[in-house]
Amino acid sequence: MADHEGKEGKFSRRDLLLRIQAASQARWEEEKTFYAEPAMEGQPCPEGKFFGNFPYPYMNGLLHLGHAFSLSKLEFAAAYHRLCGKRVLFGQGFHCTGMPIKACADKLDRELTAYGCPPRFPTQQDEEEEQQPAANGDAGAPVDPTKFVGKKSKAQSKKGPGATQWDILKRSGIQEEDIPQFRDSSHWLHYFPPLAERDLRAMGCGVDWRRSFITTDMNPFYDSFVRWQFWTLYRQGKIVKDKRYAVYSPLDGQPCADHDRASGEGVGPQEYTLIKMRVKELKGKLSALEGQADGGVYLMAASLRPETMYGQTNCWALPDGKYGAYKGLNGEVYVMTYRSALNLSYQEKTPKRGEPECLLELTGQDLMGLPLSAPNCPHDAIYVLPLLTILMNKGTGIVTSVPSDSPDDYTALQDLKKKPKLREKYNIADEWVMPFEVIPIIDIPGFGDVAAQVVCEQLKVQSQNDTAKLAEAKQLVYLKVIGAGCQR
């Protein structure tokens, strides 16, 4: 009994405040304190007016503390102006347009289709059992006791609980039997806005709830307001409907704006210049393209610095990288990665939008030694050589080489020149490498017109394996060339 009384005394002040809060909110509701009535037409409003709006919170979940913090600023301002005697309108909308709700609904639908309802997701034990056969295959291999080998990838380890849409909804307090309804994106519009209003009422916000609304065409009044806005701007020539570069979601079939993404916020389109290097002789595996490329076969290199193409000495490909020969426009065939071909197809540079047609699957080794005609290059032909540091998820997987201004290109070319066994390993003929020297194209104060060579020699870079020194060399060259480089 004493312990119970002690607990009551401990929370008595809190309970008193809650009783005062409930009584005050009930009185506000009864007296319609926050109702805002506009002045009649022609009627003066000497007391002044104040209108405040908090950017509509998105309705793909419950409100959180961040919303409360931001909203409190408007709540304090509205209360202040109301105390000053002004007519105050604090309206609250709920944001339901855009992709997040649709993306969440589609994600839940995919989960239930793949794993049943209720879903049985793969557990950590299931993943370890799947990986066990592969691990047993290396049972006889020596183990380095100084190195830790995890059973899960870094990405898997970072996922943590609640990474599925099912779990996210369940942790929001939604009963399992109700979750399947959220496969329909319209259900979100009926479920979360009332809960948001409940929480804002509990917070005591001075909102005129008669004027609350959701966006989308499910609310014809707000929808007509937005339509009027856009048509007015369109008729005035202020806006146009046209195509632009954007982050695009093939899964949803439309651009994916910054706040519409589950990940990758802040990422924008990266502009590259594609360097079309025509294959002068279709040999080896590429001979299968004879008769299928009236417009020619091109290796497509993505470059951020097309002005350096005057200094090309060769072209790079990843020997074990996966490439393809894709049908392009005007009878041309483009050799690149599937990822880059897909991106190109959405820019309408292939016959079918969003459907790159692969005529021939290739590896980087299939491209070694191909003679190329490169634009603005002083050589009649340059050759494809191996580079092991190419990232296949960046650019096109094909990289043009300018050793005068790229420490990576300079070092890789020197490695091939100095190491006959390296050439032999990738079946590289001497005449594809040995005759080609650095071509000076850009003069940089302090480094001259072969900056990459000068900096690599100064830092004593011995090979491509000197990654730390190469990173320092690139930093030195690129900073200087951007600020002070002068094209010859």
Side-chain angles (χ1 to χ4, degrees):
M1 176 67 91
D3 182 59
H4 179 69
E5 290 177 353
K7 286 184 178 179
E8 283 189 348
K10 185 176 180 180
F11 295 108
S12 59
R13 293 184 180 179
R14 181 206 65 180
D15 295 340
L16 174 61
L17 290 173
L18 289 174
R19 287 194 295 273
I20 294 173
Q21 172 182 289
S24 299
Q25 291 179 358
R27 182 178 176 182
W28 296 337
E29 187 70 25
E30 182 182 350
E31 297 180 357
K32 300 179 175 55
T33 303
F34 304 127
Y35 280 24
E37 301 296 347
M40 299 297 289
E41 187 174 353
Q43 178 184 348
C45 185
E47 67 272 27
K49 296 181 288 186
F50 175 81
F51 169 73
N53 177 255
F54 170 69
Y56 319 148
Y58 205 84
M59 291 291 99
N60 61 341
L62 300 172
L63 300 183
H64 51 70
L65 192 58
H67 290 114
F69 174 73
S70 300
L71 190 65
S72 65
K73 297 174 173 59
L74 174 57
E75 167 60 20
F76 298 154
Y80 168 77
H81 288 287
R82 192 175 290 111
L83 288 172
C84 292
K86 295 181 181 179
R87 293 181 188 237
V88 174
L89 173 56
F90 179 176
Q92 184 58 56
F94 300 108
H95 186 33
C96 298
T97 47
M99 283 303 298
I101 288 176
K102 180 71 164 58
C104 291
D106 289 347
K107 182 181 179 185
L108 178 65
D109 184 61
R110 289 193 297 270
E111 290 174 0
L112 298 184
T113 301
Y115 301 111
C117 183
R120 184 187 180 277
F121 295 109
T123 63
Q124 179 177 341
Q125 182 178 354
D126 294 333
E127 292 172 357
E128 291 176 358
E129 287 175 356
E130 287 179 7
Q131 295 170 4
Q132 194 65 38
N136 290 339
D138 296 331
V143 178
D144 186 348
T146 65
K147 293 184 178 179
F148 172 77
V149 180
K151 294 182 179 179
K152 293 192 292 183
S153 70
K154 186 180 289 186
Q156 288 173 318
S157 300
K158 286 184 176 180
K159 273 188 177 180
T164 65
Q165 190 62 51
W166 175 276
D167 286 337
I168 291 170
L169 291 170
K170 189 175 178 181
R171 289 163 63 199
S172 296
I174 301 170
Q175 298 299 312
E176 283 196 359
E177 58 269 23
D178 296 330
I179 293 179
Q181 298 178 67
F182 288 86
R183 301 168 91 164
D184 179 3
S185 57
S186 64
H187 183 67
W188 299 66
L189 278 58
H190 297 291
Y191 185 86
F192 284 110
L195 297 181
E197 180 178 338
R198 175 202 67 186
D199 294 340
L200 293 177
R201 284 181 179 272
M203 185 177 168
C205 292
V207 176
D208 185 349
W209 288 108
R210 299 174 303 166
R211 306 179 189 281
S212 175
F213 58 88
I214 65 169
T215 60
T216 78
D217 55 5
M218 289 188 67
N219 179 347
F221 303 103
Y222 188 81
D223 184 61
S224 65
F225 162 65
V226 174
R227 289 177 181 272
W228 168 83
Q229 208 172 26
F230 271 86
W231 278 114
T232 300
L233 292 171
Y234 179 77
R235 283 191 289 267
Q236 293 177 357
K238 304 296 185 183
I239 59 174
V240 296
K241 183 179 180 181
D242 205 346
K243 296 174 183 176
R244 62 180 177 84
Y245 293 112
V247 176
Y248 183 81
S249 170
L251 190 63
D252 298 305
Q254 67 178 46
C256 191
D258 208 32
H259 293 282
D260 293 346
R261 304 173 203 156
S263 61
E265 188 172 331
V267 177
Q270 172 64 64
E271 182 177 348
Y272 286 97
T273 298
L274 285 187
I275 312 300
K276 295 173 65 175
M277 295 177 284
R278 183 164 187 152
V279 180
K280 301 188 70 171
E281 179 188 354
L282 296 176
K283 60 181 184 177
K285 196 169 181 180
L286 270 76
S287 61
L289 296 173
E290 290 281 3
Q292 300 187 63
D294 296 337
V297 178
Y298 296 86
L299 266 63
M300 308 290 276
S303 176
L304 296 172
R305 297 183 60 203
E307 73 278 4
T308 64
M309 295 303 100
Y310 298 97
Q312 297 173 89
T313 58
N314 61 280
C315 172
W316 303 115
L318 183 67
D320 59 356
K322 293 182 179 180
Y323 298 87
Y326 295 92
K327 183 178 285 189
L329 299 177
N330 304 315
E332 296 178 347
V333 172
Y334 306 144
V335 176
M336 58 206 314
T337 60
Y338 170 76
R339 173 183 172 276
S340 56
L342 181 64
N343 281 338
L344 206 61
S345 72
Y346 281 114
Q347 298 174 56
E348 300 177 353
K349 301 297 184 183
T350 60
K352 291 185 179 180
R353 185 178 183 276
E355 298 180 22
E357 182 181 349
C358 184
L359 302 175
L360 183 65
E361 293 184 353
L362 301 161
T363 67
Q365 188 60 49
D366 297 326
L367 306 177
M368 293 299 132
L370 285 177
L372 307 174
S373 175
N376 297 327
C377 178
H379 296 291
D380 180 59
I382 59 173
Y383 297 89
V384 182
L385 302 177
L387 183 66
L388 305 182
T389 56
I390 290 177
L391 299 175
M392 298 298 283
N393 61 353
K394 187 176 181 180
T396 61
I398 302 293
V399 180
T400 189
S401 174
V402 183
S404 60
D405 288 84
S406 168
D408 282 332
D409 293 344
Y410 174 77
T411 307
L413 184 61
Q414 294 308 306
D415 277 355
L416 284 169
K417 285 191 172 193
K418 295 175 184 176
K419 300 174 181 178
K421 289 187 177 180
L422 183 61
R423 299 197 297 273
E424 183 181 343
K425 179 180 179 180
Y426 295 105
N427 299 319
I428 303 299
D430 290 355
E431 59 267 24
W432 303 342
V433 179
M434 304 308 289
F436 296 90
E437 301 294 338
V438 174
I439 303 171
I441 55 170
I442 298 176
D443 186 65
I444 302 176
F447 294 150
D449 53 13
V450 285
Q453 179 178 346
V454 170
V455 172
C456 285
E457 289 174 353
Q458 288 178 353
L459 296 178
K460 299 181 179 179
V461 177
Q462 299 299 317
S463 73
Q464 300 173 73
N465 297 325
D466 291 342
T467 53
K469 290 182 178 180
L470 271 176
E472 183 181 353
K474 285 188 286 186
Q475 183 78 0
L476 288 171
V477 172
Y478 294 157
L479 280 177
K480 281 274 191 178
V481 73
I482 291 172
C486 182
Q487 194 104 14
R488 293 184 54 170

